Amino acid sequence: MVYPKIPLAQSIIQICLAKGIKNIVISPGSRNAPLIIGFVNNPEFNCYSIADERCAAFFALGIAQQTQKPVAVVCTSGSALLNYYPAFAEAFYSQIPLIVISADRPQSKIDIGDGQTIRQENVFKKHSLYNANLTEEASVVNDLQINKAINIAFTKKGPVHINAPFEEPLYQTVSMLDVDVTISAFNKKNYKISINEIIEFTTIWNKSKKKLILVGENKPNEIDAEIIESFAKDESVVVMTETTSNLHHPSFLNNIDTIITPFTDKDFKNFQPDILLTFGGMVVSKRIKAFLRQYKPTHHWHIDTLRAYDTYGVLTQHFKVNPNLFFNQFLPFTIPIKSNYFSTFEKISAFREKKHQEYLTKIPFSDFKAFEKIIPSLPENSMLHLSNSSAIRYAQLFDINPSIQVFCNRGTSGIDGSTSTAIGAAVANERPTVLIAGDIGFLYDSNGLWNEYTPKNFKIILINNGGGGIFRILPGHEETSVFNKFFETSHCLTAEQLAKMYAFEYSIASTEASLETSLKALYAQNEKPSILEVFTPTLENDKILLQYFKELV
């Protein structure tokens, strides 16, 4: 076995090995050479080389998202580290375990004008669960810091930073380890709700005739089928889900904006819940958030082992427990109650669905029409990744096959790493993967295609409407040169040459008929990754979408 000669690098690698860290994403460099040598030469690690650090961190995020285990990203010193920040912040807000290991210059070289040197210690302080600022020599103190960082990434489900200073020479190797590392145990707490809590809160539950369960971003297969059926049978319960909730039942209301956007004040008051029960991550719908902030529930209970955001300004209880465990303890103590809460809004949902279908029959080809064709075409048992802005919002308006797993970087809702995340996820998950992306987000992360790991069955459906179409439906839209250049970012670029450069199959569609034909061809082709670029009319998309909400009444 080949090891780096520097003892500190040996310590980091051996502790990662002992802790079960398997996936290492490396961005090439010189200062991190001791780490590269150690990780790559140990067959226990799966090492990936991603040159662009921003893409590397999102690629690692995608792997960690799927495995639910920490993934390490390793970079050289200097500004390379700062390029990890977008993915680092996403990992923090999406509760995804990520370990950043940065090589650094020795402390004596900082702020003296040495090359490729910045102040790296605590650089992620605002979003890091732990910062291990190591000293140059291997030591028990360093070992304990490395252990603590990895333990926290595992147990607290988020990003940590290990900063390791190395002095030259960097490339020397040895055949025997020079360190005997210290390993500390995990300290993971298993929370349960007490019988007193169960009695207290089921007493409230059993008296409430209007209970809204709102599910944010949620991992697939997290909730038992028996629990889902229990929700569905309770006429005092309305369950609202989103595409990223990965929770399905015919009775659940999963097109939130379609249902509530046309509400009158009377409708909102009727829908105002006594109890709002939430679990999962970030909620996409701005309309449901605005509703719950204005028409506040009496009680808001959030279920999450780690944190609870007071999104609606009325959080009354945080159950620090796994949602599935919570419901298995809680539901046996609940009693069905007579209520028309569910039936009232089931009728509204059915009416909206009818109007939804009527509207689709009379609109021309557009973003909306493209999503009508794309979502039902997705292969069963596939994985869908959605980029942010328009793509995730259009997807909310359509039902999706329950066998499809859906993901989106909703922690920070940025457009910066959707492609890289999707490819990392596809590497870690054997399901065929489809990414639906807008043109600006795709072009922004085009370096995400620069890797040798993209599976052959990876597909990108690129909606190219000539700019940031979402800005056209936001307040402030005017057809001016300032808007077109600085907000919408109008362009005439396509993905054709990128596809050629990165050896992707490439096809286009610009009509309903050509899209249907191209989608069939896209899914049939699995010899190499593919891009289907769908061109939609820039000046019509916003009008068609805005008119949609007017015609739902």
Side-chain angles (χ1 to χ4, degrees), residues 3-27:
Y3 303 100
K5 186 176 181 179
I6 297 176
L8 178 59
Q10 291 182 17
S11 296
I12 293 170
I13 292 155
Q14 292 306 115
I15 295 171
C16 284
L17 184 63
K19 292 289 180 182
I21 307 300
K22 293 291 186 182
N23 294 297
I24 314 294
V25 180
I26 298 170
S27 296

Side-chain angles (χ1 to χ4, degrees), residues 4 12 22 39-40 45 87 152 155 160 221 224 340 370 441 447 485:
I12 293 170
K22 293 291 186 182
F39 282 123
V40 172
F45 297 110
I152 287 174
T155 59
V160 296
N221 307 313
D224 293 343
N340 66 351
N447 269 1
K485 181 175 181 178

Side-chain angles (χ1 to χ4, degrees), residues 22-279:
K22 293 291 186 182
N23 294 297
I24 314 294
V25 180
I26 298 170
S27 296
S30 179
R31 189 59 51 169
N32 58 338
L35 295 169
I36 296 173
I37 290 166
F39 282 123
V40 172
N41 283 289
N42 192 318
E44 294 294 320
F45 297 110
N46 303 316
C47 294
Y48 304 90
S49 176
I50 306 288
D52 184 315
E53 281 88 2
R54 189 182 70 199
C55 295
F58 277 110
F59 180 89
L61 185 88
I63 297 175
Q65 175 198 80
Q66 296 301 308
T67 63
Q68 289 299 301
K69 294 179 180 178
V71 175
V73 278
V74 179
C75 70
T76 190
S77 62
S79 60
L81 177 61
L82 302 182
N83 287 302
Y84 284 165
Y85 214 138
F88 198 95
E90 178 65 32
F92 176 80
Y93 287 107
S94 288
Q95 296 180 226
I96 295 174
L98 193 68
I99 301 170
V100 166
I101 306 175
S102 56
D104 199 358
R105 295 290 203 273
Q107 193 64 40
S108 60
K109 300 288 180 70
I110 308 300
D111 288 341
I112 65 167
D114 210 31
Q116 207 168 332
T117 306
I118 66 170
R119 301 172 186 176
Q120 293 184 197
E121 292 186 354
N122 303 315
V123 74
F124 302 124
K125 183 179 179 180
K126 294 289 187 181
H127 298 96
S128 182
L129 299 183
Y130 184 72
N131 300 293
N133 297 308
L134 307 182
T135 54
E136 198 174 334
E137 301 299 325
S139 66
V140 172
V141 172
N142 276 341
D143 286 356
L144 292 175
Q145 285 196 79
I146 299 165
N147 274 273
K148 187 173 182 179
I150 296 173
N151 290 354
I152 287 174
F154 265 109
T155 59
K156 299 294 185 182
K157 293 191 292 188
V160 296
H161 178 205
I162 299 170
N163 192 62
F166 299 129
E167 182 58 282
E168 298 177 359
L170 302 168
Y171 294 88
Q172 293 180 325
T173 62
V174 293
S175 58
M176 298 287 289
L177 288 170
D178 298 315
V179 298
D180 185 11
V181 295
T182 301
I183 304 297
S184 62
F186 290 111
N187 183 24
K188 189 171 184 178
K189 295 181 180 179
N190 293 315
Y191 293 98
K192 285 189 176 183
I193 51 176
S194 68
I195 189 64
N196 289 335
E197 285 181 301
I198 291 173
I199 293 170
E200 177 186 353
F201 289 98
T202 53
T203 299
I204 299 170
W205 180 274
N206 292 335
K207 292 178 181 178
S208 301
K209 292 186 177 182
K210 298 196 295 182
K211 299 179 277 265
L212 174 61
I213 298 176
L214 177 61
V215 188
E217 189 175 23
N218 188 59
K219 293 188 290 294
N221 307 313
E222 283 286 288
I223 305 299
D224 293 343
E226 294 81 4
I227 294 170
I228 292 172
E229 285 298 329
S230 180
F231 295 156
K233 291 175 181 176
D234 192 330
E235 58 192 46
S236 67
V237 171
V238 168
V239 180
M240 282 192 150
T241 64
E242 299 191 302
T243 306
T244 51
S245 298
N246 290 297
L247 197 67
H248 302 275
H249 191 278
S251 71
F252 292 175
L253 308 185
N254 60 330
N255 307 121
I256 296 174
D257 287 356
T258 298
I259 292 167
I260 73 169
T261 299
F263 271 8
T264 63
D265 183 63
K266 181 180 178 181
D267 292 329
F268 279 125
K269 286 178 179 176
N270 287 337
F271 192 46
Q272 183 177 11
D274 302 322
I275 298 173
L276 169 66
L277 192 153
T278 58
F279 65 94

Side-chain angles (χ1 to χ4, degrees), residues 241-245 248 254-258 284-285 356 367-376 378 384-401 404-408 410 434-438 463 470 545 548-549:
T241 64
E242 299 191 302
T243 306
T244 51
S245 298
H248 302 275
N254 60 330
N255 307 121
I256 296 174
D257 287 356
T258 298
V284 176
S285 172
H356 171 91
D367 283 353
F368 203 163
K369 198 70 176 174
F371 273 85
E372 180 202 7
K373 299 301 176 184
I374 291 167
I375 297 297
L378 295 166
L384 172 63
H385 275 252
L386 293 160
S387 71
N388 277 303
S389 294
S390 294
I392 182 66
R393 286 176 171 81
Y394 274 111
Q396 304 299 317
L397 305 177
F398 296 92
D399 294 336
I400 193 164
N401 187 304
I404 297 170
Q405 298 182 350
V406 185
F407 298 90
C408 180
R410 291 305 297 176
V434 178
L435 166 67
I436 303 177
I463 311 296
I470 193 170
L545 180 62
Y548 167 70
F549 292 109

Side-chain angles (χ1 to χ4, degrees), residues 454-473:
T454 307
K456 292 180 180 179
N457 61 357
F458 182 79
K459 319 288 186 187
I460 298 174
I461 300 175
L462 172 58
I463 311 296
N464 190 338
N465 53 27
I470 193 170
F471 288 101
R472 291 182 164 269
I473 63 173

